[in-house]
Amino acid sequence: MINKIAPSVTQALANIHDGATVMIGGFGGAGQPAELIDGLIAQGAKDLVIVNNNAGNGDTGLAALLKAGQVRKIICSFPRQADSYVFDALYRAGKLELELVPQGNLAERIRAAGAGIGAFFTPTGFGTQLADGKETREINGRMYVLEFPIHADFALIKAECGDRWGNLTYRKTARNFGPIMASAAKVTIASVHDIVELGSLDPEAIVTPGLYVQHVVQVPRTATGPAGFKTA
């Protein structure tokens, strides 16, 4: 019997190893799997490469993971904002590597990994420092930059509902990077608020099929999440 439900966050994260590349869903606080991030801090894996849209807010969630000294490099599109002081301090001190990727390129590089695409050309970034050292090509009179997929060992994502086969549905914009990260990682760990019986989810509403998910863990529903974002 297929049953991907993990009894605890601790057990769901047990196999994340030092040096792993870990994708973490979320757009700021929306859709950020805060409980899984806290679990990863407690688990203690180090020398991680983190792929996320931004580099953390305040002292919680992704920022707390950076502050714990467990991250060697972050790949993101939006590292700096008013309360990104944890990232700022680490980066300025030379304790954290940064690969800056335009947001559309970031999403497409993750999607390409899940789709089995070897590389793709995009006009975004051409003529800027982000294209330094990369292959370029003129296509139909426009210049493009060659970009490669981003693969991950693990993906930590947040969904609304799941079943024991790992099928997932999301809540509105909390979906963001979750589906493409799930397809781009060797192992996907999803936190959900509700675990439902098989057949309860409308097949037409399932955004991430269980094929892409290895572990599902239930976490409590709270009124607010990281940085005050509502999660209920």
Side-chain angles (χ1 to χ4, degrees), residues 68-91:
Q70 295 172 240
V71 180
R72 173 179 63 84
K73 177 180 178 180
I74 186 162
I75 302 172
C76 70
S77 68
F78 193 70
R80 299 195 68 226
Q81 51 199 329
D83 57 352
S84 60
Y85 43 82
V86 173
F87 164 81
D88 289 354
L90 292 171
Y91 182 71

Side-chain angles (χ1 to χ4, degrees), residues 89-163:
L90 292 171
Y91 182 71
R92 292 177 187 277
K95 296 180 179 180
L96 181 66
E97 299 176 41
L98 169 67
E99 181 179 341
L100 186 64
V101 183
Q103 191 170 91
N105 287 5
L106 180 67
E108 184 62 9
R109 289 177 65 187
I110 296 170
R111 191 199 69 84
I117 295 171
F120 61 92
F121 281 98
T122 173
T124 305
F126 177 77
T128 73
Q129 293 181 359
L130 297 178
D132 288 352
K134 297 180 180 179
E135 179 181 342
T136 60
R137 181 178 299 184
E138 183 177 348
I139 303 174
N140 293 328
R142 190 176 187 185
M143 296 303 298
Y144 289 77
V145 181
L146 183 66
E147 296 285 358
F148 291 89
I150 301 174
H151 297 268
D153 299 302
F154 300 90
L156 308 184
I157 63 174
K158 177 180 180 178
E160 183 70 10
C161 298
D163 60 27

Side-chain angles (χ1 to χ4, degrees), residues 5-9 35 190-196 216-220:
I5 300 172
S8 68
V9 168
E35 294 83 1
S191 68
V192 299
H193 292 311
D194 297 311
I195 294 178
V196 300
V216 176
V217 60
Q218 189 172 20
V219 300

